[in-house]
Amino acid sequence: LPAEQGRIFPGADDNASGVALMLELADYYSKQRPERSIIFAAFDGEEDGRLGSRHFVRTLDAGTLARVNADINLDSLGRLEGGKILFLNTASSDKWVHILRGAGFVTGMDYEASRADLDASDQASFIEAGVPAVQVLSGISADYHKVTDTADKIDYPGMVREGEFLKEIVDY
């Protein structure tokens, strides 16, 4: 929009919060190495047809793609504010219900699992390639895609709790 040209959209929740949690998990797993390899990737072009994630999936050879166990897309995790952590596309595997239940039990954190297909975010690129995938978010705030999506509105303690939940999922 012309009125928005030249304005800064900080993107604190969408999606600096998801990138921050991804980096925290990458740091943790660099010190506590699991048996399986974990790929941490941040994609560009999500809102332009998932350009980055589609390219990533397309460039994996068949053998590598077959070894990808799951994709967990971290998107807009900075506004939990006492709510539930949300998981979209859980129909991509019958295992998600059990994984989420276990993580909820261990962390004591409330969550909501949706089986609905959401194809607008990067997890869809993996699902299209046959890889179980979910999008994780704390919800859509009133500041979504606005200049008001600023760091002072982030629920940092909530992000710590989400990180603990995500660690349980990855460990499973």
Side-chain angles (χ1 to χ4, degrees):
L1 298 172
E4 296 174 342
Q5 284 185 328
R7 298 188 71 191
I8 295 173
F9 288 72
D13 186 30
D14 183 26
N15 189 27
S17 63
V19 173
L21 272 175
M22 180 192 69
L23 293 173
E24 283 296 319
L25 288 166
D27 181 60
Y28 173 81
Y29 286 107
S30 74
K31 297 169 184 154
Q32 309 293 324
R33 294 213 175 249
E35 288 182 31
R36 291 183 174 200
S37 297
I38 300 175
I39 298 170
F40 293 92
F43 302 114
D44 194 13
E46 177 214 27
E47 291 165 3
D48 290 322
R50 304 185 326 258
L51 296 175
S53 61
R54 282 181 192 244
H55 176 77
F56 178 82
V57 171
R58 267 196 313 263
T59 59
L60 294 175
D61 64 72
T64 301
L65 184 61
R67 290 192 314 270
V68 176
N69 192 32
D71 169 65
I72 304 169
N73 179 25
L74 310 181
D75 194 2
S76 299
L77 288 161
R79 304 288 290 272
L80 187 63
E81 300 164 350
K84 297 177 182 179
I85 187 170
L86 307 174
F87 293 85
L88 306 177
N89 292 94
T90 60
S92 66
S93 172
D94 60 357
K95 307 289 188 278
W96 288 121
V97 65
H98 306 293
I99 295 167
L100 298 176
R101 185 181 307 127
F105 178 78
V106 170
T107 63
M109 189 169 180
D110 204 5
Y111 66 92
E112 181 178 329
S114 172
R115 297 181 57 80
D117 281 337
L118 177 72
D119 65 357
S121 200
D122 291 314
Q123 78 280 354
S125 299
F126 289 85
I127 293 169
E128 289 168 357
V131 176
V134 290
Q135 179 180 5
V136 188
L137 66 156
S138 60
I140 303 298
S141 75
D143 300 304
Y144 180 69
H145 288 184
K146 295 183 179 170
V147 297
T148 53
D149 185 4
T150 54
D152 60 307
K153 296 177 181 166
I154 297 298
D155 174 12
Y156 295 101
M159 286 183 64
V160 170
R161 295 188 63 224
E162 290 167 323
E164 292 166 353
F165 198 103
L166 291 165
K167 180 201 161 295
E168 292 300 322
I169 292 170
V170 172
D171 285 351
Y172 183 83

